Amino acid sequence: MDLESRLNLEADEAAVVGFLKEHGGCLERDEKQTGTYWLTLHPRSDSKETYFVRLVWHSYPHEPPSVKFATAISGHLDLTRAWPIIDGYRPSSLDICKPFTAEGFSLHHEWRQSANAWPTTGNPFLWVVETLQYDLNLHYRGRSS
Amino acid sequence: MLETHAPPIIAVTVTFALSKKEPYHADFGRDTLVGTVRTKSMTYFDVTDDAQYRYYLTHDGQNVDENLSLGQVTGESHTIKFGLRKELIQG
């Protein structure tokens, strides 16, 4: 990861940590890979359920992150039961087809030239995490099998 | 008999993750609708609703009903902090 991206991420981390703390979650940096973070999230309707998310940034804030659900921090990324059931979240494809993930933009190149283009202003790291948390709070229908 | 009085003015703060601007701050009467605060904060952050997406004020992990008054949301508190979030389309 380039130095600019690393410094930008470090500058924006604090707001992400604060947001997650307000919602009972947390953020951890991956020890081995710069630009990789692990989120712990809980849906508002079922605080006993815990979801782990790996975010991988390659160029921040210029490109969206890869977003995948895992069985644990540094856990398996290829199990559907790690995923929540939310419209646009595709456990069978292990991706989120929405315009805040690298996977979504890879499937929909037209988003880059539309109103859903990846935003680079403000704190996009916080925006991605907010989006994940609010999808869990507002659109969650249980855990995938 | 001790009486509690809800404050007539509420200090509102709205944060928006995708803006470079500082949070929006303004005082409103407690009868002001949440929808009015949403509109004014969107003007401050220079964003508008679109056919493909919409902005919502959030509080306590949920979208706030625009038809509620600030007083109904805050109770007896004289301050409140909202988040402004953009609802995305599904892929």
Side-chain angles (χ1 to χ4, degrees), chain A residues 22-23 44 87-88 97-100 108 111 115-116 119 121-123 126-127 130-131 134 137-139, chain B residues 15-20 50 52-53 58-63 81 83-91:
Chain A
E22 289 177 7
H23 293 267
R44 194 173 190 275
D87 285 348
C97 190
K98 297 181 83 170
F100 68 93
H108 291 275
W111 286 348
N116 290 308
T121 57
N123 188 336
L126 175 60
W127 178 65
E130 283 184 347
T131 301
Y134 280 101
N137 285 356
L138 302 175
H139 306 300
Chain B
T15 60
F16 181 42
L18 294 177
S19 176
K20 290 182 179 179
D50 184 272
Q52 292 177 306
Y53 59 85
T58 64
H59 180 64
D60 195 24
Q62 300 182 99
N63 291 345
K81 180 181 171 184
L84 183 67
R85 61 176 287 268
K86 180 179 174 181
E87 182 79 6
L88 303 172
I89 62 168
Q90 175 184 335

Side-chain angles (χ1 to χ4, degrees), chain B residues 12 28 54 91:
Chain B
V12 174
F28 293 93
R54 195 173 187 280

Side-chain angles (χ1 to χ4, degrees), chain A residues 44-56:
Chain A
R44 194 173 190 275
S45 63
D46 192 352
S47 59
K48 293 187 179 64
E49 276 283 18
T50 300
Y51 288 92
F52 303 98
V53 182
R54 187 194 72 175
L55 296 186
V56 179

Side-chain angles (χ1 to χ4, degrees), chain A residues 54-95:
Chain A
R54 187 194 72 175
L55 296 186
V56 179
W57 301 94
H58 293 293
S59 177
Y60 182 79
H62 309 293
E63 293 290 333
S66 167
V67 182
K68 290 190 180 291
F69 283 80
T71 54
I73 303 295
S74 302
H76 295 285
L77 295 163
D78 57 356
L79 296 178
T80 58
R81 61 179 168 81
W83 287 70
I85 300 172
I86 297 172
D87 285 348
Y89 290 48
R90 309 192 308 167
S92 57
S93 301
L94 301 174
D95 66 23

